[in-house]
Amino acid sequence: MFHTQSDVVFVKGLKVEAVIGVYEWERAITQPLLIDIAMETDISRAAASDDVSDALNYKEVCDDVSAWCQAIKAKLLEHLAGKIADKLLEKYGCHKITLSVAKPTAIEQADAVGVQITRYATVKVNELESAADNSQSDDA
């Protein structure tokens, strides 16, 4: 039987200054970004142990995301969001990531504009076969 997790570690309103935008003047300055991240992952080990070494380190996540935003220097929010989600899935072993990136100063009449994406970890075929085998032995 497949077991699904609905545990989420989140970061809300991470503020990052980064080069972002398509116009020449935007490439010469940094602009504020607001980032929300929801990472679906299994927190049962940390919940049981009460040990930070068993937890997903959200300080490290914030530091990584800030550094990636500054290094990527994307033109489009869509590109930046996709790259960050891929890096988070790869580094932190989450099952699912929902990420929003907003530019609060882009449109004067709006509080912010931005994108929200959801990405899933890839499951390898041998992992599915192993889970199916375990499910069959549990049913026996």
Side-chain angles (χ1 to χ4, degrees):
M1 177 189 313
F2 287 102
H3 181 70
T4 60
Q5 297 293 331
S6 59
D7 303 335
V8 175
V9 173
F10 70 90
V11 174
K12 186 163 181 61
L14 177 64
K15 296 167 184 70
V16 178
E17 289 284 329
V19 172
I20 184 82
V22 296
Y23 300 111
E24 195 172 310
W25 65 267
E26 290 180 297
R27 308 305 297 160
I29 64 169
T30 61
Q31 297 184 67
L33 298 173
L34 292 175
I35 301 171
D36 293 337
I37 308 162
M39 297 166 284
E40 186 175 302
T41 188
D42 183 356
I43 68 165
S44 60
R45 190 175 203 181
S49 71
D50 200 24
D51 187 336
V52 71
S53 67
D54 291 330
L56 194 154
N57 185 329
Y58 43 81
K59 167 74 166 94
E60 187 178 334
V61 169
C62 291
D63 290 346
D64 283 343
V65 169
S66 295
W68 295 333
C69 286
Q70 292 161 356
I72 293 169
K73 299 182 183 192
K75 293 178 183 172
L76 300 176
L77 291 174
E78 292 85 345
H79 178 75
L80 181 62
K83 291 289 189 185
I84 292 170
D86 290 345
K87 289 176 177 290
L88 287 169
L89 285 169
E90 182 181 325
K91 182 167 183 181
Y92 292 99
C94 300
H95 311 295
K96 174 182 168 185
I97 304 260
T98 299
L99 173 80
S100 66
V101 183
K103 285 174 72 172
T105 59
I107 304 293
E108 185 177 335
Q109 301 87 342
D111 289 339
V113 296
V115 298
Q116 178 176 306
I117 65 171
T118 299
R119 297 292 182 268
Y120 298 85
T122 27
V123 178
K124 296 179 179 96
V125 173
N126 58 351
E127 290 174 6
L128 286 175
E129 290 169 352
S130 175
D133 290 345
N134 288 340
S135 174
Q136 290 173 359
S137 64
D138 288 345
D139 294 341

